[in-house]
Amino acid sequence: MVTHIDRCVRISPADKARLRILFLAKHARASGTPDAVDGNHAVYHHEMRTTLEEIGLNIRVADSYESLFDRPDVDFVVTLLNRGGFQNSEMMAPLLLSWRDMPHLGASPILRGVSDDKYLSKMIASAHGVPTMPAQIFRRGGLPAEPAFHAERLVVKPNASSASWGLAMVDSWTEARTQIDYLHGEGHDVLVEAWAPLLDIAVPVVGGSGGQPWILPPMMYVPADPHRARSHEEKRGLIDAGDDPLVLVEDRALLTQLEDMTRRLLPDLWPFDYGRFEFRYDPVTGAVQFMEVNLSCNLWSKKTISRSARSIGVDHAMLVETIIGHSLERQGLLTEAPLKVAA
């Protein structure tokens, strides 16, 4: 029987010594204290760098896209440089690395683009029969459109931003138009969707041994007030909100439904190295609706993927080594077979 530990990957000492790895992140050189603008992302980047070093990888660091203008003198790049300060910046590092034929962690640029476009990911879900909230895209400079659906409450947000920046919950299309105009003025395409009752559930998926997707235990976000959206400041730790109130999903029927929905979406997005498939769950009706997928998402030990892995006995360092080992193996960079992890 395959166990959770069997799915982990441990890179051989010889490959750890041989492979030169660049850690690329905005706060790659950070000291571990929060940033005034990016908040806990600076803490996360520091933790990731130190974890890579503790694993025993041969690490050097960089913190800008400019470091990729010439081909880096390394074998592999671990890039967390996702927030470049311009629209669709999530694709920039993967595009530059593809230009230089440089293997890297994450996913191909086109998959990053599709997944970061919340509207396109909803279309993928719908094409596979996975329910999603009614939604409409308003592209900046696009064709004018009248509301395509009715809802008592609407969520208006940038179509490709992160951590709820620019999100507004409104009660009419008139209010929605005001927020659309504001976000267009800030340079964003805008997604408007029908609000659905909470709770939020994230299904983590990482690459494990054998090159196959490994679906980790789903985690449910259980806020004190399920009718209030989390702010950008809360998610980035710019105000004190404590750790995310995450609990494991234990209902067997719900677990089966979440895994089925996730597996329907995987063929259009694989291969990737790690991500979260996010759903909205109404405990009153039992309805589950797809919201979005986040590839190359937050791997901080305080966040969903690491906390999910910990629930099955996989600590943060082993999770990170497994994800990187999977990526190295699928891209043909390991000269020795990954070591079997001792139980």
Side-chain angles (χ1 to χ4, degrees):
M1 183 179 73
V2 177
T3 68
H4 297 309
I5 296 299
D6 292 329
R7 299 301 307 274
C8 291
V9 176
R10 179 165 289 164
I11 304 165
S12 72
D15 279 326
K16 286 181 178 179
R18 177 182 59 84
L19 291 169
R20 300 160 303 163
I21 295 177
L22 177 67
F23 175 55
L24 176 66
K26 182 177 180 181
H27 300 286
R29 307 179 195 278
S31 64
T33 57
D35 180 74
V37 175
D38 296 323
N40 53 32
H41 253 221
V43 182
Y44 160 44
H45 291 172
H46 175 265
E47 179 192 76
M48 189 69 169
R49 188 191 77 219
T50 57
T51 300
L52 296 173
E53 293 168 345
E54 290 166 3
I55 290 169
L57 297 172
N58 182 5
I59 297 297
R60 59 226 41 204
V61 301
D63 55 12
S64 70
Y65 295 118
E66 286 81 359
S67 64
L68 305 180
F69 287 178
D70 294 314
R71 193 180 198 276
D73 186 24
V74 295
D75 302 296
F76 182 76
V77 177
V78 174
T79 174
L80 303 186
L81 190 53
N82 298 337
R83 302 175 66 237
F86 56 93
Q87 191 176 18
N88 305 132
S89 61
E90 296 86 352
M91 298 174 66
M92 177 61 84
L95 282 168
L96 290 170
L97 290 163
S98 297
W99 174 41
R100 294 305 184 189
D101 194 25
M102 172 62 66
H104 59 278
L105 186 71
S108 68
I110 195 68
L111 289 180
R112 289 297 305 275
V114 169
S115 65
D116 284 318
D117 189 305
K118 295 179 174 65
Y119 184 71
L120 292 182
S121 64
K122 289 177 186 294
M123 293 181 69
I124 290 173
S126 296
H128 290 284
V130 176
T132 186
M133 289 85 80
Q136 187 171 355
I137 188 69
F138 293 84
R139 303 285 184 190
R140 185 173 182 238
L143 298 174
E146 294 300 315
F149 62 91
H150 172 75
E152 295 298 325
R153 202 175 194 192
L154 299 165
V155 178
V156 186
K157 57 188 177 184
N159 188 46
S161 77
S162 62
S164 294
W165 181 88
L167 183 146
M169 298 173 65
V170 300
D171 298 320
S172 70
W173 275 96
T174 299
E175 294 173 276
R177 286 288 186 186
T178 299
Q179 185 68 5
I180 291 168
D181 290 343
Y182 165 71
L183 292 173
H184 279 173
E186 294 294 310
H188 294 274
D189 292 343
V190 182
L191 181 72
V192 180
E193 63 185 7
W195 179 84
L198 298 172
L199 307 158
D200 289 343
I201 299 178
V203 181
V205 180
V206 303
S209 62
Q212 296 300 306
W214 181 10
I215 299 178
L216 298 177
M219 301 289 287
M220 183 184 297
Y221 180 86
V222 185
D225 181 1
H227 298 283
R228 186 183 71 85
R230 284 183 288 171
S231 69
H232 174 77
E233 289 74 20
E234 287 175 294
K235 289 188 176 183
R236 286 287 176 256
L238 296 171
I239 59 174
D240 185 15
D243 290 341
D244 293 345
L246 298 173
V247 299
L248 288 167
V249 175
E250 297 182 344
D251 182 272
R252 297 307 308 174
L254 178 56
L255 285 168
T256 299
Q257 188 176 8
L258 290 165
E259 181 168 341
D260 172 66
M261 289 180 169
T262 301
R263 289 198 182 279
R264 285 194 238 171
L265 299 173
L266 277 171
D268 285 2
L269 297 168
W270 192 260
F272 59 84
D273 295 319
Y274 63 104
R276 287 191 321 260
F277 290 73
E278 301 191 10
F279 300 86
R280 178 63 54 82
Y281 171 57
D282 183 352
V284 176
T285 66
V288 180
Q289 299 183 88
F290 171 80
M291 287 200 304
E292 62 190 56
V293 59
N294 289 287
L295 301 185
S296 300
C297 55
N298 199 316
L299 273 180
W300 191 19
S301 61
K302 293 179 177 289
K303 295 298 184 179
T304 305
I305 295 184
S306 187
R307 288 172 64 175
S308 171
R310 197 177 308 134
S311 75
I312 55 174
V314 177
D315 66 25
H316 184 65
M318 180 52 67
L319 171 70
V320 172
E321 184 168 354
T322 293
I323 290 170
I324 292 175
H326 159 83
S327 189
L328 293 169
E329 186 174 23
R330 75 176 174 84
Q331 296 178 80
L333 293 177
L334 297 183
T335 58
E336 299 188 15
L339 300 177
K340 183 174 177 60
V341 179

